[in-house]
């Protein structure tokens, strides 16, 4: 395209196709465009999802029947550890950051993220971190095998795979902090005129609060693993009892990071679902303001409940009661959110395209995960459940049916905006139902395994656990297979899908990203959206007029 | 294929006992089970109400049925109600739970105190009131476990949940368990009694139970503790008071007879013979029967440590390094014997011997 043509297009937002002027290397390796970086994040996250998923299948294969068939126990522990680390830090978190990069500027009417070059940096820290984790399988002693929680003194015993994991965590933490600073600055400073904080799409709110959580806790994790590193090599004895250290101190520090981390992986999902459900119910989100308050209360409470991961370490009754009561309290704002989503659907005019199916699936299964979370919050009952498969079932309901399903929903929801083409609806729905069924076949039986007393992180088990384990393994392999189908769906859409997508393919969508063309041009909102456009959308979202601020 | 077919028709064959807690055997375990049942009922009711509303909306308020959206999006009254009502339900649930927490934590007035020490990977028990002391190791044969080439031998009913020496306690007495660890964090778990307590190196924690019935009850270590985490069961045998007294008497006599006399003069050959049994009891799992090790566990054959100065070899056994735990819990004689055995077996021919007195000196 010539400069003359560009000049002709000047009044519109369409400064597309600048990529024609830059080489592949310049566009992708030196990327400063929020959409390109978003794309990089999403592909990285997907490749890590597949990597972590293959590890999960290796774990499930070993657990198909009693006895050791495939792996030595030590390698089994490496698999469980790296599966956890990779899924949390490599798949779920980067996927949300990628979505934020792609969609936040579009949704709040900003031309790009606030710090475009730092954005490039924060992405390019991820691949080396992933490489370190993968290399660690091949060093003497193998990869870290102490569980994703890296509890000392076990993690102090480990070989150099643990050092590589610690360095990888440093890099991943650095990347998250930079990504978060970018999100906070963007959301606070470059919203469209007329879009006050309480008129911002809920996805913006949840990403903002998530970013604050990350800025608060990523350094805590970095500190904990650095202390671990010095304990390993410089005899600092922070956590070594032989030198006067306290192994439980690590657990306190780790879970002070670890519990907010759980919400770092859940809040963005709440945001996505709060965009999708109103769209397909053709109704404004019910209780926007209480959604914002609920999100904030969950975030604040998440800092005060870490002790519920440690009910078995032997804390006094008073401390157990403190953590138990506060943990139970989280059910209140979480309940408010679920009630709001249901009230949004109530008296709507619902259709059930794939993003909506994933969102309803999210609400159903996340609620199940919430219920099992409530059971686990009750300290005496937790005595039976701690470190059993019940916990594994619980957090997979929250993280797979929660975070992952919301990511699938988001992908189908915004694919037309990303690619300019519509995905194949039937295939999308097939992907949903397939995932939904096999997810439950995989993880529901784990509740029973946990109740019956099967510890987690064991490579072999007594015969009484055989049937449910076999069932879970069959479910896991089918679930995994379905995700290849997802990849196929996405590639099919990129290559043209079932036809061109209009700027706004969804009847009930009212946020700003649907005002720009599909695919979203390389540069958008170079001039901020006019007050008129912004207010039209806000009105349709019920955020103007009778809305209480 | 058979396993696959089995998995798919599972709901029909699963036994009820495998879908809930193991049958409760103590007052606390009963309370926990009741608490869990109560919670399940509360959850079930909430679930049906909330999902009933949602699925009604999903079925009736569809565009395909011509339902038009009513764009309401706020209602202060319902928003307050659905914040306050769940909070009240939670308070109602917190009350009975708090009572159980306080009872569970009350370890006062116990009648027998037993120290349970976690080792990589077995349990050591010490009856503080009776001077009885033993280790409790998995007895499941490795042939049953390792099936890499598809030729494992048949597994028994208590596969992986059987030990050589279970913890023996009298029925109806308040037993206080002190937990600690020799190396990494383990967790002493016995679901039938509603007990799970981490065993933490350098610290002592406690918990308690009072068994209601005689019988044998089984649990497992419940904190990831390294490669054999899955292979350290907890087995408790509850007996009558009379049987317990007999058992204690027998153990005390046995201990006296079996203890290595500290003044005994050992010869090299005696040490090697004794060392073989120490090796099989402790070192075998990692370094294997032929001493060649596996994976990250180094071979002892021609090892620099084994062929090098005997003091370094002893230091490694006493202090450990990386994946090798410290074995200081073994007696002086046991350490002397196993070091001597390793230096003169598997083709190693160093020819020297370590004596219990040397170990005693090295410990200082």
């Amino acid at each position: 395209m010539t400069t003359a043509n560009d000049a002709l297009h000047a009044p519109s937002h369409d400064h597309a196709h600048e990529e024609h002027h830059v080489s592949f290397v310049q566009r992708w390796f030196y990327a400063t465009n929020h959409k390109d970086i978003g794309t990089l994040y999403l592909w990285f996250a997907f490749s890590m999802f597949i990597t972590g998923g293959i590890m999960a299948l290796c774990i499930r294969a070993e657990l198909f029947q009693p006895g050791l068939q495939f792996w030595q126990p030590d390698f089994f522990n490496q698999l469980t550890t790296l599966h956890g680390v990779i899924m949390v830090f490599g798949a779920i978190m980067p996927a949300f950051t990628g979505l934020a990069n792609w969609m936040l500027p579009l949704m709040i009417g900003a031309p790009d993220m606030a710090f475009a070059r730092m954005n490039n940096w924060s992405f390019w820290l991820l691949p080396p971190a992933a490489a370190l984790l993968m290399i660690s399988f091949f060093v003497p002693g193998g990869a870290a095998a102490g569980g994703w929680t890296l509890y000392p003194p076990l993690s102090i015993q480990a070989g150099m795979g643990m050092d590589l994991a610690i360095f990888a965590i440093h890099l991943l933490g650095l990347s998250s902090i930079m990504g978060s600073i970018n999100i906070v600055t963007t959301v606070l400073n470059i919203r469209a005129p007329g879009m006050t904080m309480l008129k911002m799409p809920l996805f913006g709110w949840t990403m903002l609060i998530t970013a604050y959580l990350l800025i608060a806790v990523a350094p805590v994790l970095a500190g904990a693993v650095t202390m671990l590193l010095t304990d390993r090599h410089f005899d600092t004895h922070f956590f070594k009892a032989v030198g006067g250290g306290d192994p439980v101190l690590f657990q306190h520090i780790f879970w002070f990071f670890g519990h907010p981390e759980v919400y770092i992986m859940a809040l963005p999902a709440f945001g996505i679902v709060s965009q999708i459900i109103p769209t397909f119910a053709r109704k404004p989100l019910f209780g926007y303001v209480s959604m914002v308050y609920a999100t904030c209360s969950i975030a604040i409470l998440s800092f005060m409940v870490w002790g519920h991961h440690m009910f078995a370490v032997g804390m006094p009754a008073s401390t157990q009661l403190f953590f138990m009561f506060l943990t139970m309290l989280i059910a209140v704002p979480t309940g408010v959110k679920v009630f709001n989503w249901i009230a949004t659907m109530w008296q709507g005019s619902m259709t059930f395209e794939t993003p909506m199916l994933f969102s309803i699936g999210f609400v159903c299964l996340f609620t199940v995960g919430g219920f099992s979370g409530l059971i686990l919050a009750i300290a005496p009952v937790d005595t039976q459940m701690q470190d059993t498969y019940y916990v594994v079932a619980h957090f997979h309901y929250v993280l797979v049916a929660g975070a992952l399903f919301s990511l699938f929903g988001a992908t189908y929801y915004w694919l037309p905006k990303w690619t300019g083409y519509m995905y194949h609806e039937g295939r999308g729905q097939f992907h949903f139902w397939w995932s939904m069924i096999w997810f439950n076949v995989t993880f529901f039986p784990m509740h029973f395994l946990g109740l019956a007393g099967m510890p987690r992180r064991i490579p072999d088990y007594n015969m009484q656990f055989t049937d449910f384990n076999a069932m879970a393994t069959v479910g896991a392999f089918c679930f995994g297979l379905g995700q290849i189908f997802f990849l196929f769906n996405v590639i099919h859409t990129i290559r043209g899908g079932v036809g061109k997508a209009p700027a706004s393919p969804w009847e009930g969508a009212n946020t700003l990203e649907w005002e720009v063309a599909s695919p979203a041009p390389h540069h958008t909102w170079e001039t901020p959206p006019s007050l008129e456009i912004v207010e039209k959308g806000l009105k349709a979202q019920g955020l103007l007029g009778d809305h209480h601020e | 294929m058979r396993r696959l077919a089995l998995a798919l028709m599972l709901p029909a064959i699963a036994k009820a006992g495998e879908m809930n807690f193991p049958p409760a055997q103590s007052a606390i375990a009963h309370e926990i089970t009741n608490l869990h049942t109560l919670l399940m009922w509360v959850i079930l009711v909430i679930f049906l109400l909330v999902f009933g509303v949602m699925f009604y909306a999903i079925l009736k308020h569809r565009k395909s049925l011509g339902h038009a959206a009513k764009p309401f999006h706020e209602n202060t009254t319902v928003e307050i109600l659905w914040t306050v009502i769940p909070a009240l339900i939670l308070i109602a649930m917190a009350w009975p739970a708090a009572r159980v927490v306080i009872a569970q934590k009350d370890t006062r007035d116990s009648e027998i105190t037993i120290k349970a020490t976690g080792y990589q990977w077995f349990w050591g028990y010490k009856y503080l009131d009776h001077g009885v002391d033993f280790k409790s190791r998995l007895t499941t044969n490795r042939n049953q476990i390792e099936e890499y080439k598809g030729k494992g031998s048949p597994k028994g009913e208590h596969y992986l949940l059987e030990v050589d020496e279970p913890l023996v306690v009298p029925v109806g007495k308040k037993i206080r368990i002190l937990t600690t660890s020799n190396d990494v964090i383990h967790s002493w778990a016995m679901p039938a009694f509603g007990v799970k307590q981490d065993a933490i190196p350098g610290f002592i924690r406690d918990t308690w139970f009072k068994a209601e019935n005689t019988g044998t009850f089984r649990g497992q270590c419940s904190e990831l503790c390294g490669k054999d985490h899955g292979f350290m069961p907890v087995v408790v045998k509850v007996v009558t008071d009379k049987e317990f007294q007999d058992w204690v008497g027998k153990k005390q006599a046995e201990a006296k007879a079996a203890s290595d006399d500290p003044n005994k003069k050992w010869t090299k050959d005696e040490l090697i013979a004794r060392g073989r049994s120490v090796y099989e009891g402790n070192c075998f799992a990692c370094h294997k029967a032929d001493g060649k090790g596996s994976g990250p566990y180094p071979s002892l054959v021609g090892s620099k440590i084994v062929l090098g100065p005997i003091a370094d070899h002893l230091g490694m056994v006493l202090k450990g390094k990386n994946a090798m735990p410290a074995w200081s819990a073994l007696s002086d004689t046991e350490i002397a014997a196993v070091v001597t055995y390793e230096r003169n077996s598997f083709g190693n021919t160093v020819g020297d011997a370590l004596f219990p007195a040397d170990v005693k000196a090295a410990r200082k």
Side-chain angles (χ1 to χ4, degrees), chain A residues 327-458:
Chain A
T327 306
M328 292 171 77
L329 203 57
I330 292 190
V332 174
T334 314
V336 165
K337 288 189 143 316
V338 173
F339 298 142
N340 277 331
W341 289 322
I342 292 174
T344 307
M345 292 185 228
W346 186 255
Q347 296 288 8
S349 177
M350 277 191 273
T351 52
F352 300 91
E353 287 88 342
T354 312
M356 183 63 161
L357 289 178
F358 272 109
S359 298
I360 294 174
F362 167 93
V363 174
C364 294
L365 299 180
F366 192 86
T367 306
V368 175
F371 281 143
S372 59
L374 185 60
I375 301 255
L376 288 167
I378 309 289
V381 180
D382 184 77
T383 304
Q384 300 288 50
M385 314 287 208
Q386 172 96 36
D387 271 305
T388 67
Y389 260 83
Y390 193 90
V391 177
V392 178
H394 159 69
F395 68 71
H396 281 93
Y397 264 80
V398 180
L399 291 178
V400 179
L404 184 64
F405 272 28
S406 81
L407 283 163
F408 287 146
T411 306
Y412 285 106
Y413 186 54
W414 282 312
L415 255 183
K417 186 57 60 191
W418 298 339
T419 63
Y421 300 108
M422 286 305 287
Y423 66 87
H424 187 286
E425 186 57 47
R427 287 178 191 160
Q429 298 199 1
F430 177 80
H431 173 222
F432 168 74
W433 287 109
W434 180 270
S435 300
M436 182 75 176
I437 290 166
W438 294 112
F439 167 81
N440 282 293
V441 173
T442 309
F443 294 105
F444 204 76
M446 292 187 187
H447 290 112
F448 300 125
L449 287 173
L451 285 167
M454 178 171 158
R456 62 194 279 213
R457 295 161 163 169
I458 56 173

Side-chain angles (χ1 to χ4, degrees), chain A residues 49-265:
Chain A
F49 170 62
I50 295 298
T51 312
I54 289 169
M55 291 176 189
L57 295 185
C58 292
I59 294 167
R60 285 312 324 168
E62 179 58 65
L63 292 172
F64 183 55
Q65 56 178 8
L68 298 174
Q69 291 82 29
F70 300 105
W71 320 118
Q72 295 280 351
D74 195 50
F75 183 66
F76 180 89
N77 290 345
Q78 296 172 28
L79 285 174
T80 53
T81 304
L82 272 272
H83 165 69
V85 172
I86 285 176
M87 285 303 197
V88 169
F89 295 105
I92 301 287
M93 289 170 66
F96 281 135
T97 316
L99 277 184
N101 258 302
W102 236 110
M103 300 317 299
L104 266 187
L106 281 177
M107 293 171 92
I108 63 174
D112 203 313
M113 297 298 278
F115 306 117
R117 283 180 201 285
M118 187 169 79
N119 212 8
N120 174 291
W121 239 113
S122 69
F123 173 75
W124 282 107
L125 283 175
L126 295 176
L132 284 174
L133 289 175
M134 297 315 295
I135 290 168
S136 73
F137 273 110
F138 304 99
V139 300
W148 87 282
T149 51
L150 310 173
Y151 282 1
L154 183 61
S155 52
I156 295 175
Q157 284 183 354
M160 70 183 286
M162 182 64 67
D163 300 320
L164 295 176
I166 288 173
F167 189 42
I169 288 173
H170 282 143
L171 291 180
L172 294 163
L174 213 56
S175 160
S176 309
I177 291 175
M178 291 201 274
S180 300
I181 290 172
N182 226 336
I183 289 169
V184 168
T185 315
T186 308
V187 169
L188 292 186
N189 293 305
I190 38 181
R191 296 188 312 277
M195 184 181 280
T196 60
M197 287 298 280
L198 277 176
K199 289 189 170 66
M200 180 167 71
L202 211 74
F203 180 65
W205 261 108
T206 54
M207 283 313 308
L208 175 72
I209 294 170
T210 305
Y212 271 118
L213 284 182
L214 257 173
I215 292 170
V217 300
V220 176
L221 176 68
V225 295
T226 308
M227 287 156 89
L228 206 55
L229 193 70
T230 59
D231 262 16
R232 286 168 55 77
H233 298 292
F234 309 120
D235 269 333
T236 44
H237 300 114
F238 289 114
F239 310 127
K240 275 194 230 169
V242 275
D246 182 353
V248 181
L249 173 66
F250 179 88
Q251 299 186 18
H252 283 291
I253 305 176
F254 180 86
W255 287 113
F256 187 80
F257 147 81
H259 196 79
E261 170 67 23
V262 172
Y263 287 96
I264 287 165
M265 294 184 281

Side-chain angles (χ1 to χ4, degrees), chain B residues 79-148:
Chain B
E79 289 182 57
I80 290 174
L81 278 179
W82 71 39
T83 312
V84 173
I85 294 175
L88 293 176
I89 296 174
L90 287 176
I91 292 172
M93 283 165 28
W95 178 254
R99 264 189 36 243
V100 183
V101 168
I102 290 164
Q104 200 176 19
K105 281 281 159 187
D106 183 4
T107 54
R108 290 171 299 179
D109 306 322
S110 62
E111 289 155 276
I112 294 177
T113 304
I114 301 167
K115 186 172 87 167
T117 307
Y119 294 88
Q120 282 174 318
W121 290 271
F122 54 88
W123 290 97
Y125 296 113
K126 188 169 200 167
Y127 289 63
L128 300 183
D129 314 307
H130 303 93
V132 171
D133 188 352
F134 59 89
K135 307 272 175 7
S136 177
R137 291 188 176 83
L138 179 75
T139 48
T140 303
N141 192 311
R142 284 268 157 182
N143 288 335
Q144 291 178 34
I145 299 172
E146 291 175 9
E147 287 187 335
Y148 297 103

Side-chain angles (χ1 to χ4, degrees), chain A residues 277-283 344-353 356 360 504-509, chain B residues 55-70:
Chain A
I277 290 180
T279 299
F280 296 93
R282 293 169 181 74
K283 262 184 67 194
T344 307
M345 292 185 228
W346 186 255
Q347 296 288 8
S349 177
M350 277 191 273
T351 52
F352 300 91
E353 287 88 342
M356 183 63 161
I360 294 174
S504 180
W506 314 119
E507 194 187 343
Chain B
F55 279 97
Y56 183 85
I58 289 174
L59 290 174
K60 300 285 181 183
H61 304 158
R62 290 169 171 253
K63 193 185 178 198
S64 58
L65 300 177
H67 194 276
K70 299 203 174 127

